[in-house]
Amino acid sequence: MSIRSQRYILQYIEANKRIHVSFRCPTIKQVEKSIPLFLDHLVFWGNTLTINSVKYSIMMYTKPVEEDRNSKLDEKVGLQKYITIDFERSNSGKQSRRNRIPENLEAFEAITRMINVLLGGRNNINVDRLGFPFNGIDVSHLPIELKFKANNIDFGSTYLNNYFPFIDDASFPLKEVMIQYESTERFQHPAVQTAQKLVITDFDFLFFTWVDELKNLPNKNVVFNLSVSPSITDTSRIIQTWKSSGKNTNMCYTVKNYEDREWTIEVVDEIREEFNGNFVELSMPGVRYNECISVPMSETSEIVIFGYIISDPDYTYPIRAINMQQLYDFFHK
């Protein structure tokens, strides 16, 4: 088969299958790695790399050391450590597959080797959602030639600048940036400031300490993923801050809440009374909401607020959310 034919066929094969074929057929490896890779998801997390729906993990196990047949003592002499690479395909209903790595590697070396085998030699990787969640991954694991062109990036609680040498300049401005709140300094980063959508996660119950910083966010769409339901007072502060800023900012305030079924209804009712809001009808196909109200922001604009349900396959419980945004044409009284 000619190189041209190989390139034509390989570019249409799903990424994990393509990598597997390249690994099994060394004669096409160079051709395969030169073809741009298009991915839906690419996530680095500790000892795990997820490519689309396949998770590759470096794991360390122990087993009893074989008995020494030359010894007069019939007993085990200890435990032996060994490294494996585990493969797991999400939503397949199949058990994961485990391959023992024959080389005598430490876990750190094995992670580096795994990433290099899967992604090394590539400098043209297009990915819709690139993730370094929570603490991400030590960048020393990453091949220096890697370049990602991404639409959306989850930086978790990592130091953002560590990853920019691996991100193509053509990625910016990003469609979406996800960060975990640690300090308001993270809001000042250029990648955060220019993102079309900013998603802020707060796991440390600190939301009430930085809510006033909302007026300084230039992003048009801001989402809050909070670990606990905020009080009515905190929710009111969002509206007060927004109104005082005078900015035209779309804000979607998202809270994972599955214990208090009436939480969104209570918030909307309280906000309506506090800010003299009016009931309005929402015309958004596919959105299930309880009540929708509008609160005057200025003489020419209103804030529309409603509670609704988010369906997410990653969660077994419904996610309840409060949405606050400026009134557009798809709303009508």
Side-chain angles (χ1 to χ4, degrees):
M1 183 182 295
S2 68
I3 293 179
R4 184 176 180 179
S5 298
Q6 291 176 2
R7 293 184 63 88
Y8 181 80
I9 293 172
L10 287 169
Q11 66 179 328
Y12 293 107
I13 299 177
E14 192 275 332
N16 290 284
K17 294 179 181 178
R18 208 175 100 178
I19 292 170
H20 180 76
V21 169
S22 174
F23 183 75
R24 294 292 184 182
C25 304
T27 56
I28 69 169
K29 182 175 293 186
Q30 186 174 356
V31 173
E32 189 276 321
K33 287 182 178 290
S34 69
I35 301 171
L37 201 61
F38 292 89
L39 307 176
D40 294 324
H41 295 85
L42 180 63
V43 180
F44 297 87
W45 185 8
N47 65 327
T48 297
L49 171 63
T50 302
I51 301 176
N52 288 345
S53 61
V54 179
K55 181 187 295 183
Y56 304 84
S57 303
I58 293 296
M59 305 295 291
M60 179 176 288
Y61 297 93
T62 58
K63 73 171 186 176
V65 177
E66 296 292 334
E67 295 177 358
D68 185 353
R69 296 183 179 181
N70 297 321
S71 174
K72 295 181 179 179
L73 298 176
D74 184 17
E75 60 184 18
K76 307 291 183 184
V77 295
L79 295 175
Q80 180 186 54
K81 295 181 180 180
Y82 64 96
I83 300 289
T84 71
I85 178 170
D86 292 1
F87 305 85
E88 182 179 356
R89 184 176 293 276
S90 62
N91 303 322
S92 66
K94 298 180 180 180
Q95 294 183 344
S96 61
R97 182 163 56 91
R98 179 179 302 166
N99 285 3
R100 184 166 176 173
I101 298 176
E103 293 89 351
N104 185 23
L105 299 176
E106 295 295 329
F108 187 93
E109 297 174 297
I111 295 170
T112 304
R113 177 81 63 85
M114 175 184 71
I115 294 175
N116 189 67
V117 169
L118 296 172
L119 300 178
R122 305 176 189 277
N123 56 12
N124 195 345
I125 301 177
N126 297 268
V127 54
D128 185 41
R129 306 196 73 86
L130 176 62
F132 307 98
F134 297 97
N135 293 321
I137 189 171
D138 190 324
V139 293
S140 61
H141 288 304
L142 304 179
I144 59 174
E145 72 274 9
L146 277 185
K147 276 291 184 182
F148 304 113
K149 184 178 179 182
N151 295 322
N152 313 279
I153 302 182
D154 179 358
F155 287 106
S157 60
T158 61
Y159 182 59
L160 279 65
N161 286 339
N162 283 346
Y163 299 104
F164 281 96
F166 303 97
I167 301 173
D168 194 303
D169 291 341
S171 303
F172 302 99
L174 292 163
K175 290 184 178 179
E176 178 179 308
V177 165
M178 297 180 65
I179 59 171
Q180 181 177 329
Y181 173 77
E182 291 184 341
S183 71
T184 56
E185 292 180 3
R186 306 198 83 200
F187 298 155
Q188 308 306 316
H189 196 284
V192 174
Q193 293 256 317
T194 59
Q196 295 177 31
K197 182 177 182 181
L198 173 61
V199 181
I200 306 169
T201 300
D202 185 351
F203 289 122
D204 296 321
F205 312 102
L206 296 174
F207 174 71
F208 66 93
T209 67
W210 56 265
V211 65
D212 290 335
E213 292 296 322
L214 300 181
K215 61 179 177 294
N216 299 320
L217 295 177
N219 313 84
K220 294 296 184 181
N221 194 346
V222 181
V223 177
F224 306 98
N225 288 330
L226 306 182
S227 53
V228 294
S229 301
S231 66
I232 300 292
T233 301
D234 285 335
T235 309
S236 297
R237 284 178 63 190
I238 293 178
I239 299 175
Q240 292 284 13
T241 300
W242 189 5
K243 292 182 68 173
S244 65
S245 71
K247 294 181 179 179
N248 177 15
T249 303
N250 298 330
M251 299 176 65
C252 179
Y253 178 22
T254 305
V255 180
K256 297 170 184 176
N257 182 311
Y258 60 98
E259 294 180 351
D260 186 356
R261 296 179 180 274
E262 304 302 321
W263 176 77
T264 57
I265 297 176
E266 292 175 358
V267 170
V268 173
D269 283 344
E270 290 285 342
I271 295 300
R272 182 179 61 84
E273 292 183 9
E274 180 177 352
F275 292 93
N276 297 317
N278 299 308
F279 286 111
V280 295
E281 294 182 8
L282 175 64
S283 179
M284 290 181 66
V287 176
R288 293 185 301 159
Y289 70 97
N290 298 313
E291 293 178 344
C292 183
I293 64 171
S294 68
V295 171
M297 182 175 179
S298 67
E299 294 182 356
T300 58
S301 62
E302 297 172 296
I303 301 173
V304 174
I305 305 165
F306 60 92
Y308 67 111
I309 303 294
I310 300 174
S311 298
D312 190 327
D314 292 333
Y315 295 89
T316 58
Y317 51 83
I319 302 173
R320 290 169 174 81
I322 294 291
N323 181 288
M324 295 176 283
Q325 64 185 69
Q326 191 174 30
L327 187 63
Y328 286 102
D329 292 339
F330 47 69
F331 293 104
H332 60 274
K333 291 186 179 181

